[in-house]
Amino acid sequence: MKRSTTIAAAVVGALCLGCNPPDLDEDGDGFTELTNDCDDSDPNVHPDAVEVCGNDKDDNCNGELDELGATSGRIWYADLDGDGFGDEGLTIEACAQPEGYAANKWDCNESDASIHPDADEICDAVDNDCDGQIDESNAVDALIWYPDRDGDGYGDETLAVTACEAPEGHIEVAGDCVDLDPLTHPGMLEDCRTVGDDDCDGTPNSQDAEAIGCTDFYADLDGDGYAGSAECLCEAADPWLETEAPDCDDTNIAVYPGAPSTRRWRSEDCEDDTSIDVETVDRDLRDLWNFGGYYLTGGRYLHVVDANLDGASDLLVRGWGHNPVLIPGPLDTVTADDIVELSLPQGEGSEVSPEVMVSLVDDVDGDGLRDVLSPRLFSSGEYDNGVYLFSQADAVAGTLDYEDALDVFKVKIQGWPMAELVAEDLRGDESIEFIGTGYDGQTVFGVVHPRQDPLIPAEDWNTDQLNIQGSGGSCQPAFADVDGDGISELLLGRGSGGDPNNWTLGRWGSLKGSLMVFEIIDEPEEKAFLPRKVFFGQENPQNSAIAGLGGLGIAATDVNGDGHADIVAGDHSQLLEPDGWQIVVFEGPVLDDSAGLAWEIAWNADIRVSGNEGNKLGLFDVLPDIDQDGASDLVAYGSNEGPWYIHRLEEGHHRIDEVGRRLTTGPEGYPVRRAHGVLDVNGDGTPEALLETWQDASYYFPLLVYGDTP
């Protein structure tokens, strides 16, 4: 029995050799499964063990791998301001970088993210880059300072230093070439009496223009063999080598003493720059005054046009005792048989007066000829007063009646005949804007739309601003792009005379005697004229009347050659006695100033040309660049002298005898009366001037074409 018990115990013991009771510590680490040893086969794994990074074990049996505090982890530094740099006093060990901690410990200010070792040092009394220094010389906004040992306000750039604040005796301005001499620096004028470089430009006493004690030396810059361009130098230097200047225009190789005469609009032989003898400038002189049996009057009743759109210059002349006529170009070959009369309808019982203004507008009916715009001024008869549009072909055929008009703009016209009638397609939309003005100050405006019936009615346009009232002078109109936007504006200049209190401009009653620039608005909801710029007339100190600005003439042309249209106007003011009236220029571009329509801007002309010795100016004509120098030229007329030719104008006030050349007598000793423009008579590309002289003591004026080259 005892033997059986022993055998049974041995069998049970053999069967339990692999058993690990939970209350046994198999790995000898002092922990059993009952005391939370999660691996009783590894003595390094138990609840009191230290977590080790990267061994893929839960060393401390807390259910986590590689948590914070694990040994063999990196030390991380608290980054409170998020600038990537931490505080060495706030650390933690971790296998991976925790949020809010940085890998380095060099941040010197954890409350400012802009301060850290990688920041730029700036001049603000703060250690921005944590290097222990403040505002050192490597600060990004540090300035360069130069020693100024002589106290002349200029420093020595060879001894420059960089600092946030100026070191003692240093300044920001460099350039002193001798910092021990207060009389030598860039602010000094070169002195020809010294041997040094007084102004520190590196060229002592040689090429320093306008130096103290300098002498004028002259160069031949146009290469014609004669010097004419001056520089004031201490000594001669190439190309300023000559002491005399015989060339009167050193910008033109064809102008020099003794030069052959090819032009007379500019003096070429440097002998006479005060007058132009008309008889010496003609090449193709044509006496047109009684051409083909027609008495052809000039004045404001002649225009250079291209009537048949062939590129040649034609003349549209208001007749005397007959209808207007067209003299077709080229004018050097035209004969009396070529003249064309525009037989317009006449008022009942009255012949057409030369004062009836007509204009040629674009080809409305599409027949290749510019069409005719003409006012009807008579109050009797069945047809309405107004401005009528006729086919040029029908007008030449001589069969017109008012019922043949292509279109008519019915407006009330009464009193004096129209003094001006101008038309233009302002906006390139195949519509024609026209404006007519009367001697009594009334103004009419219309818009002709080709192939559109009916016309835009007058009541659809806000024309209150154009209802000029008063007497004693006409309102001069012009269309021109004076602000450079590619769209023409309407220019109106008011004449003088009468009671200044009657000089009103519709609801703009304060704009007395003014030159006005209007923008034309043609939108579906707005058809109006908006005043964009006003140049106010002057009050005459003798009688308190308002002198008209532009009433003697108005034009838009480039008189200074800068590529912008300038406004030229005649002025009635007496402010320059005894010089009298004057011609004024407002330089372009003339921009919108509608917010400043105030009397204080009355007198701001850029250029003024006044008369001499009581010789009143005011009337003028434009010769668009007759001398081909890139700027338009003018012909001005005085009250007691003949006309003056004006070549290119610069800013300032000039007397006519300072900037003008007299146009002396024409054939048979009669003076030049008017200039009508520039045209190419024979199509050779060279411009000629169309001038007008008295034929005799009668009222008739011959029309003469003068060439500019032999």
Side-chain angles (χ1 to χ4, degrees), residues 72-99:
S72 301
R74 289 190 55 180
I75 297 176
W76 304 94
Y77 305 91
D79 180 13
L80 303 180
D81 55 12
D83 59 8
F85 294 86
D87 184 347
E88 64 178 336
L90 300 172
T91 64
I92 193 172
E93 282 189 90
C95 297
Q97 182 175 1
E99 183 177 357

PDB file of all heavy atoms in Angstrom, residues 72-99:
ATOM      1  N   SER A  72      17.136  56.286 -21.364  1.00  0.00           N
ATOM      2  CA  SER A  72      17.741  56.290 -22.700  1.00  0.00           C
ATOM      3  C   SER A  72      16.995  57.238 -23.644  1.00  0.00           C
ATOM      4  O   SER A  72      17.266  57.266 -24.845  1.00  0.00           O
ATOM      5  CB  SER A  72      17.774  54.882 -23.319  1.00  0.00           C
ATOM      6  OG  SER A  72      18.507  54.014 -22.482  1.00  0.00           O
ATOM      7  N   GLY A  73      15.999  58.063 -23.163  1.00  0.00           N
ATOM      8  CA  GLY A  73      15.310  59.053 -23.990  1.00  0.00           C
ATOM      9  C   GLY A  73      16.093  60.358 -24.047  1.00  0.00           C
ATOM     10  O   GLY A  73      16.988  60.607 -23.232  1.00  0.00           O
ATOM     11  N   ARG A  74      15.774  61.237 -25.020  1.00  0.00           N
ATOM     12  CA  ARG A  74      16.420  62.538 -25.122  1.00  0.00           C
ATOM     13  C   ARG A  74      15.858  63.481 -24.082  1.00  0.00           C
ATOM     14  O   ARG A  74      14.756  63.303 -23.578  1.00  0.00           O
ATOM     15  CB  ARG A  74      16.192  63.140 -26.499  1.00  0.00           C
ATOM     16  CG  ARG A  74      16.942  62.460 -27.616  1.00  0.00           C
ATOM     17  CD  ARG A  74      16.857  63.262 -28.884  1.00  0.00           C
ATOM     18  NE  ARG A  74      17.319  64.638 -28.674  1.00  0.00           N
ATOM     19  CZ  ARG A  74      17.359  65.576 -29.623  1.00  0.00           C
ATOM     20  NH1 ARG A  74      16.938  65.273 -30.840  1.00  0.00           N
ATOM     21  NH2 ARG A  74      17.796  66.788 -29.355  1.00  0.00           N
ATOM     22  N   ILE A  75      16.642  64.505 -23.790  1.00  0.00           N
ATOM     23  CA  ILE A  75      16.153  65.578 -22.928  1.00  0.00           C
ATOM     24  C   ILE A  75      15.563  66.655 -23.822  1.00  0.00           C
ATOM     25  O   ILE A  75      16.195  67.126 -24.769  1.00  0.00           O
ATOM     26  CB  ILE A  75      17.284  66.158 -22.056  1.00  0.00           C
ATOM     27  CG1 ILE A  75      17.821  65.078 -21.112  1.00  0.00           C
ATOM     28  CG2 ILE A  75      16.797  67.371 -21.262  1.00  0.00           C
ATOM     29  CD1 ILE A  75      18.997  65.528 -20.277  1.00  0.00           C
ATOM     30  N   TRP A  76      14.329  67.057 -23.534  1.00  0.00           N
ATOM     31  CA  TRP A  76      13.634  68.087 -24.316  1.00  0.00           C
ATOM     32  C   TRP A  76      13.386  69.289 -23.431  1.00  0.00           C
ATOM     33  O   TRP A  76      13.212  69.164 -22.216  1.00  0.00           O
ATOM     34  CB  TRP A  76      12.302  67.549 -24.849  1.00  0.00           C
ATOM     35  CG  TRP A  76      12.475  66.293 -25.666  1.00  0.00           C
ATOM     36  CD1 TRP A  76      12.379  65.007 -25.234  1.00  0.00           C
ATOM     37  CD2 TRP A  76      12.792  66.233 -27.053  1.00  0.00           C
ATOM     38  NE1 TRP A  76      12.620  64.120 -26.241  1.00  0.00           N
ATOM     39  CE2 TRP A  76      12.883  64.851 -27.405  1.00  0.00           C
ATOM     40  CE3 TRP A  76      13.030  67.174 -28.038  1.00  0.00           C
ATOM     41  CZ2 TRP A  76      13.172  64.411 -28.683  1.00  0.00           C
ATOM     42  CZ3 TRP A  76      13.316  66.741 -29.325  1.00  0.00           C
ATOM     43  CH2 TRP A  76      13.392  65.377 -29.643  1.00  0.00           C
ATOM     44  N   TYR A  77      13.354  70.508 -24.090  1.00  0.00           N
ATOM     45  CA  TYR A  77      13.283  71.774 -23.362  1.00  0.00           C
ATOM     46  C   TYR A  77      11.967  72.486 -23.697  1.00  0.00           C
ATOM     47  O   TYR A  77      11.573  72.578 -24.864  1.00  0.00           O
ATOM     48  CB  TYR A  77      14.473  72.664 -23.728  1.00  0.00           C
ATOM     49  CG  TYR A  77      15.793  71.966 -23.508  1.00  0.00           C
ATOM     50  CD1 TYR A  77      16.393  71.235 -24.545  1.00  0.00           C
ATOM     51  CD2 TYR A  77      16.426  72.014 -22.271  1.00  0.00           C
ATOM     52  CE1 TYR A  77      17.598  70.585 -24.355  1.00  0.00           C
ATOM     53  CE2 TYR A  77      17.641  71.359 -22.070  1.00  0.00           C
ATOM     54  CZ  TYR A  77      18.219  70.638 -23.111  1.00  0.00           C
ATOM     55  OH  TYR A  77      19.403  69.988 -22.917  1.00  0.00           O
ATOM     56  N   ALA A  78      11.337  72.972 -22.665  1.00  0.00           N
ATOM     57  CA  ALA A  78      10.028  73.604 -22.843  1.00  0.00           C
ATOM     58  C   ALA A  78      10.134  74.828 -23.775  1.00  0.00           C
ATOM     59  O   ALA A  78      10.958  75.720 -23.554  1.00  0.00           O
ATOM     60  CB  ALA A  78       9.459  74.013 -21.490  1.00  0.00           C
ATOM     61  N   ASP A  79       9.282  74.848 -24.835  1.00  0.00           N
ATOM     62  CA  ASP A  79       9.233  75.969 -25.805  1.00  0.00           C
ATOM     63  C   ASP A  79       7.879  76.651 -25.644  1.00  0.00           C
ATOM     64  O   ASP A  79       6.923  76.357 -26.351  1.00  0.00           O
ATOM     65  CB  ASP A  79       9.415  75.434 -27.226  1.00  0.00           C
ATOM     66  CG  ASP A  79       9.379  76.530 -28.272  1.00  0.00           C
ATOM     67  OD1 ASP A  79       9.463  77.719 -27.896  1.00  0.00           O
ATOM     68  OD2 ASP A  79       9.254  76.209 -29.469  1.00  0.00           O
ATOM     69  N   LEU A  80       7.817  77.610 -24.734  1.00  0.00           N
ATOM     70  CA  LEU A  80       6.541  78.213 -24.374  1.00  0.00           C
ATOM     71  C   LEU A  80       6.023  79.190 -25.426  1.00  0.00           C
ATOM     72  O   LEU A  80       4.816  79.394 -25.554  1.00  0.00           O
ATOM     73  CB  LEU A  80       6.665  78.928 -23.020  1.00  0.00           C
ATOM     74  CG  LEU A  80       7.145  78.051 -21.850  1.00  0.00           C
ATOM     75  CD1 LEU A  80       7.217  78.873 -20.576  1.00  0.00           C
ATOM     76  CD2 LEU A  80       6.224  76.842 -21.669  1.00  0.00           C
ATOM     77  N   ASP A  81       6.927  79.823 -26.180  1.00  0.00           N
ATOM     78  CA  ASP A  81       6.477  80.806 -27.168  1.00  0.00           C
ATOM     79  C   ASP A  81       6.423  80.247 -28.585  1.00  0.00           C
ATOM     80  O   ASP A  81       6.091  80.953 -29.534  1.00  0.00           O
ATOM     81  CB  ASP A  81       7.366  82.058 -27.144  1.00  0.00           C
ATOM     82  CG  ASP A  81       8.842  81.727 -27.339  1.00  0.00           C
ATOM     83  OD1 ASP A  81       9.162  80.583 -27.720  1.00  0.00           O
ATOM     84  OD2 ASP A  81       9.677  82.633 -27.124  1.00  0.00           O
ATOM     85  N   GLY A  82       6.767  78.958 -28.770  1.00  0.00           N
ATOM     86  CA  GLY A  82       6.618  78.310 -30.063  1.00  0.00           C
ATOM     87  C   GLY A  82       7.577  78.786 -31.135  1.00  0.00           C
ATOM     88  O   GLY A  82       7.278  78.670 -32.328  1.00  0.00           O
ATOM     89  N   ASP A  83       8.752  79.285 -30.717  1.00  0.00           N
ATOM     90  CA  ASP A  83       9.687  79.783 -31.726  1.00  0.00           C
ATOM     91  C   ASP A  83      10.739  78.749 -32.111  1.00  0.00           C
ATOM     92  O   ASP A  83      11.661  79.043 -32.870  1.00  0.00           O
ATOM     93  CB  ASP A  83      10.374  81.057 -31.240  1.00  0.00           C
ATOM     94  CG  ASP A  83      11.151  80.853 -29.932  1.00  0.00           C
ATOM     95  OD1 ASP A  83      11.288  79.695 -29.479  1.00  0.00           O
ATOM     96  OD2 ASP A  83      11.615  81.869 -29.365  1.00  0.00           O
ATOM     97  N   GLY A  84      10.610  77.502 -31.597  1.00  0.00           N
ATOM     98  CA  GLY A  84      11.539  76.436 -31.962  1.00  0.00           C
ATOM     99  C   GLY A  84      12.750  76.340 -31.060  1.00  0.00           C
ATOM    100  O   GLY A  84      13.635  75.499 -31.309  1.00  0.00           O
ATOM    101  N   PHE A  85      12.805  77.181 -30.021  1.00  0.00           N
ATOM    102  CA  PHE A  85      13.926  77.164 -29.072  1.00  0.00           C
ATOM    103  C   PHE A  85      13.370  77.091 -27.661  1.00  0.00           C
ATOM    104  O   PHE A  85      12.391  77.775 -27.328  1.00  0.00           O
ATOM    105  CB  PHE A  85      14.790  78.416 -29.240  1.00  0.00           C
ATOM    106  CG  PHE A  85      15.498  78.475 -30.564  1.00  0.00           C
ATOM    107  CD1 PHE A  85      14.870  79.011 -31.680  1.00  0.00           C
ATOM    108  CD2 PHE A  85      16.778  77.970 -30.699  1.00  0.00           C
ATOM    109  CE1 PHE A  85      15.503  79.061 -32.901  1.00  0.00           C
ATOM    110  CE2 PHE A  85      17.427  78.017 -31.929  1.00  0.00           C
ATOM    111  CZ  PHE A  85      16.802  78.556 -33.031  1.00  0.00           C
ATOM    112  N   GLY A  86      14.016  76.205 -26.761  1.00  0.00           N
ATOM    113  CA  GLY A  86      13.490  75.944 -25.437  1.00  0.00           C
ATOM    114  C   GLY A  86      14.293  76.566 -24.318  1.00  0.00           C
ATOM    115  O   GLY A  86      15.373  77.124 -24.516  1.00  0.00           O
ATOM    116  N   ASP A  87      13.734  76.409 -23.082  1.00  0.00           N
ATOM    117  CA  ASP A  87      14.328  76.945 -21.861  1.00  0.00           C
ATOM    118  C   ASP A  87      15.038  75.799 -21.148  1.00  0.00           C
ATOM    119  O   ASP A  87      14.417  74.779 -20.807  1.00  0.00           O
ATOM    120  CB  ASP A  87      13.222  77.543 -20.998  1.00  0.00           C
ATOM    121  CG  ASP A  87      13.755  78.221 -19.742  1.00  0.00           C
ATOM    122  OD1 ASP A  87      14.938  78.030 -19.403  1.00  0.00           O
ATOM    123  OD2 ASP A  87      12.966  78.944 -19.105  1.00  0.00           O
ATOM    124  N   GLU A  88      16.340  75.983 -20.886  1.00  0.00           N
ATOM    125  CA  GLU A  88      17.104  74.887 -20.270  1.00  0.00           C
ATOM    126  C   GLU A  88      16.663  74.605 -18.837  1.00  0.00           C
ATOM    127  O   GLU A  88      16.996  73.561 -18.278  1.00  0.00           O
ATOM    128  CB  GLU A  88      18.589  75.214 -20.293  1.00  0.00           C
ATOM    129  CG  GLU A  88      18.985  76.423 -19.462  1.00  0.00           C
ATOM    130  CD  GLU A  88      20.483  76.662 -19.486  1.00  0.00           C
ATOM    131  OE1 GLU A  88      21.205  75.678 -19.746  1.00  0.00           O
ATOM    132  OE2 GLU A  88      20.914  77.800 -19.274  1.00  0.00           O
ATOM    133  N   GLY A  89      15.899  75.477 -18.237  1.00  0.00           N
ATOM    134  CA  GLY A  89      15.428  75.235 -16.875  1.00  0.00           C
ATOM    135  C   GLY A  89      14.160  74.416 -16.823  1.00  0.00           C
ATOM    136  O   GLY A  89      13.737  74.004 -15.743  1.00  0.00           O
ATOM    137  N   LEU A  90      13.516  74.158 -17.940  1.00  0.00           N
ATOM    138  CA  LEU A  90      12.280  73.383 -17.984  1.00  0.00           C
ATOM    139  C   LEU A  90      12.483  72.236 -18.959  1.00  0.00           C
ATOM    140  O   LEU A  90      12.380  72.418 -20.169  1.00  0.00           O
ATOM    141  CB  LEU A  90      11.107  74.273 -18.414  1.00  0.00           C
ATOM    142  CG  LEU A  90      10.797  75.474 -17.510  1.00  0.00           C
ATOM    143  CD1 LEU A  90       9.754  76.361 -18.165  1.00  0.00           C
ATOM    144  CD2 LEU A  90      10.308  74.988 -16.150  1.00  0.00           C
ATOM    145  N   THR A  91      12.820  71.020 -18.406  1.00  0.00           N
ATOM    146  CA  THR A  91      13.173  69.892 -19.275  1.00  0.00           C
ATOM    147  C   THR A  91      12.300  68.688 -18.993  1.00  0.00           C
ATOM    148  O   THR A  91      11.620  68.599 -17.968  1.00  0.00           O
ATOM    149  CB  THR A  91      14.650  69.502 -19.072  1.00  0.00           C
ATOM    150  OG1 THR A  91      14.827  69.036 -17.724  1.00  0.00           O
ATOM    151  CG2 THR A  91      15.565  70.688 -19.339  1.00  0.00           C
ATOM    152  N   ILE A  92      12.381  67.733 -19.923  1.00  0.00           N
ATOM    153  CA  ILE A  92      11.703  66.459 -19.770  1.00  0.00           C
ATOM    154  C   ILE A  92      12.431  65.452 -20.630  1.00  0.00           C
ATOM    155  O   ILE A  92      13.038  65.798 -21.643  1.00  0.00           O
ATOM    156  CB  ILE A  92      10.226  66.556 -20.178  1.00  0.00           C
ATOM    157  CG1 ILE A  92       9.459  65.318 -19.720  1.00  0.00           C
ATOM    158  CG2 ILE A  92      10.089  66.745 -21.690  1.00  0.00           C
ATOM    159  CD1 ILE A  92       7.960  65.454 -19.918  1.00  0.00           C
ATOM    160  N   GLU A  93      12.442  64.165 -20.142  1.00  0.00           N
ATOM    161  CA  GLU A  93      13.013  63.094 -20.943  1.00  0.00           C
ATOM    162  C   GLU A  93      11.880  62.392 -21.682  1.00  0.00           C
ATOM    163  O   GLU A  93      10.834  62.104 -21.126  1.00  0.00           O
ATOM    164  CB  GLU A  93      13.751  62.082 -20.067  1.00  0.00           C
ATOM    165  CG  GLU A  93      15.126  62.519 -19.622  1.00  0.00           C
ATOM    166  CD  GLU A  93      15.881  61.386 -18.954  1.00  0.00           C
ATOM    167  OE1 GLU A  93      16.574  60.645 -19.662  1.00  0.00           O
ATOM    168  OE2 GLU A  93      15.728  61.245 -17.733  1.00  0.00           O
ATOM    169  N   ALA A  94      12.108  62.105 -22.938  1.00  0.00           N
ATOM    170  CA  ALA A  94      11.110  61.387 -23.722  1.00  0.00           C
ATOM    171  C   ALA A  94      11.783  60.755 -24.922  1.00  0.00           C
ATOM    172  O   ALA A  94      12.811  61.242 -25.412  1.00  0.00           O
ATOM    173  CB  ALA A  94      10.003  62.319 -24.167  1.00  0.00           C
ATOM    174  N   CYS A  95      11.202  59.612 -25.347  1.00  0.00           N
ATOM    175  CA  CYS A  95      11.749  58.940 -26.524  1.00  0.00           C
ATOM    176  C   CYS A  95      11.519  59.780 -27.774  1.00  0.00           C
ATOM    177  O   CYS A  95      12.361  59.814 -28.671  1.00  0.00           O
ATOM    178  CB  CYS A  95      11.115  57.558 -26.679  1.00  0.00           C
ATOM    179  SG  CYS A  95      11.466  56.451 -25.295  1.00  0.00           S
ATOM    180  N   ALA A  96      10.372  60.470 -27.922  1.00  0.00           N
ATOM    181  CA  ALA A  96      10.048  61.325 -29.062  1.00  0.00           C
ATOM    182  C   ALA A  96       9.743  62.728 -28.540  1.00  0.00           C
ATOM    183  O   ALA A  96       9.372  62.903 -27.374  1.00  0.00           O
ATOM    184  CB  ALA A  96       8.851  60.785 -29.836  1.00  0.00           C
ATOM    185  N   GLN A  97       9.895  63.759 -29.411  1.00  0.00           N
ATOM    186  CA  GLN A  97       9.706  65.150 -28.994  1.00  0.00           C
ATOM    187  C   GLN A  97       8.260  65.395 -28.617  1.00  0.00           C
ATOM    188  O   GLN A  97       7.357  65.260 -29.434  1.00  0.00           O
ATOM    189  CB  GLN A  97      10.119  66.110 -30.117  1.00  0.00           C
ATOM    190  CG  GLN A  97       9.991  67.570 -29.745  1.00  0.00           C
ATOM    191  CD  GLN A  97      10.511  68.482 -30.838  1.00  0.00           C
ATOM    192  OE1 GLN A  97      10.950  68.017 -31.879  1.00  0.00           O
ATOM    193  NE2 GLN A  97      10.468  69.783 -30.599  1.00  0.00           N
ATOM    194  N   PRO A  98       8.004  65.810 -27.393  1.00  0.00           N
ATOM    195  CA  PRO A  98       6.638  66.098 -26.973  1.00  0.00           C
ATOM    196  C   PRO A  98       6.183  67.456 -27.524  1.00  0.00           C
ATOM    197  O   PRO A  98       6.988  68.321 -27.855  1.00  0.00           O
ATOM    198  CB  PRO A  98       6.740  66.143 -25.449  1.00  0.00           C
ATOM    199  CG  PRO A  98       8.099  65.614 -25.114  1.00  0.00           C
ATOM    200  CD  PRO A  98       8.965  65.893 -26.282  1.00  0.00           C
ATOM    201  N   GLU A  99       4.897  67.638 -27.628  1.00  0.00           N
ATOM    202  CA  GLU A  99       4.356  68.917 -28.055  1.00  0.00           C
ATOM    203  C   GLU A  99       4.698  69.982 -27.028  1.00  0.00           C
ATOM    204  O   GLU A  99       4.580  69.763 -25.820  1.00  0.00           O
ATOM    205  CB  GLU A  99       2.844  68.812 -28.221  1.00  0.00           C
ATOM    206  CG  GLU A  99       2.206  70.085 -28.747  1.00  0.00           C
ATOM    207  CD  GLU A  99       0.719  69.927 -28.969  1.00  0.00           C
ATOM    208  OE1 GLU A  99       0.220  68.796 -28.763  1.00  0.00           O
ATOM    209  OE2 GLU A  99       0.071  70.930 -29.340  1.00  0.00           O
TER     210      GLU A  99
END
